[in-house]
Amino acid sequence: FHAMIKVCSSVKKVSADEKNLALRMAIKTVKMLKDCKSEECKPNAETYKLLIDACGKLIPKGLEQQKALETIFNNCCRDGLVDDRVLRQFKKTAPFDLYQGTILLNAQTSTDGDGMILPEE
């Protein structure tokens, strides 16, 4: 599954329609993982890292890309799969203000009295 997402994000010098198709295929691959009944093929941190990378490469910079990145990262947080690889990819891909705002928001809403759920960078 991860190989499929990597292939989707590696398309270069193609039309916007082809990039859109590649992005839809990457998202469909992640949905297939989420729907999988076996614990061996569930999404993990690497899945989200690859999807963030694909989003950064396949959606032009702007509001649409920012919304997609924020949604992916928030889903990763909700699923409890944020690790240092996800944080590094999100920081690399997202505009700084989105990165900072999303990390701070999730840190504030994801505390349980013992501190942040998000790992330190």
Side-chain angles (χ1 to χ4, degrees):
F1 290 96
H2 289 165
M4 178 65 172
I5 300 169
K6 285 180 186 178
V7 167
C8 291
S9 68
S10 68
V11 297
K12 296 182 180 171
K13 298 184 182 181
V14 296
S15 70
D17 287 341
E18 290 169 316
K19 284 185 177 184
N20 190 26
L21 176 62
L23 180 64
R24 287 195 320 253
M25 290 175 69
I27 291 168
K28 185 175 181 176
T29 301
V30 173
K31 285 181 181 179
M32 287 171 51
L33 277 170
K34 286 186 172 199
D35 293 340
C36 183
K37 302 295 182 205
S38 170
E39 286 300 316
E40 295 175 6
C41 66
K42 291 288 184 189
N44 57 30
E46 183 69 12
T47 308
Y48 283 104
K49 174 194 161 288
L50 293 170
L51 191 56
I52 289 169
D53 182 50
C55 178
K57 291 177 178 175
L58 298 172
I59 303 174
K61 293 192 184 312
L63 189 57
E64 181 183 357
Q65 184 193 67
Q66 289 181 29
K67 286 181 180 181
L69 289 168
E70 184 175 20
T71 298
I72 294 165
F73 186 79
N74 287 336
N75 287 338
C76 185
C77 290
R78 184 198 64 224
D79 293 346
L81 296 172
V82 176
D83 69 3
D84 61 330
R85 296 170 298 168
V86 172
L87 287 172
R88 279 195 301 266
Q89 187 64 51
F90 188 62
K91 185 176 184 179
K92 176 181 171 184
T93 307
F96 180 74
D97 58 334
L98 175 64
Y99 170 77
Q100 186 178 33
T102 304
I103 296 298
L104 290 175
L105 175 67
N106 279 289
Q108 291 170 356
T109 60
S110 298
T111 57
D112 59 1
D114 293 331
M116 288 180 35
I117 292 175
L118 295 174
E120 293 183 19
E121 214 174 337

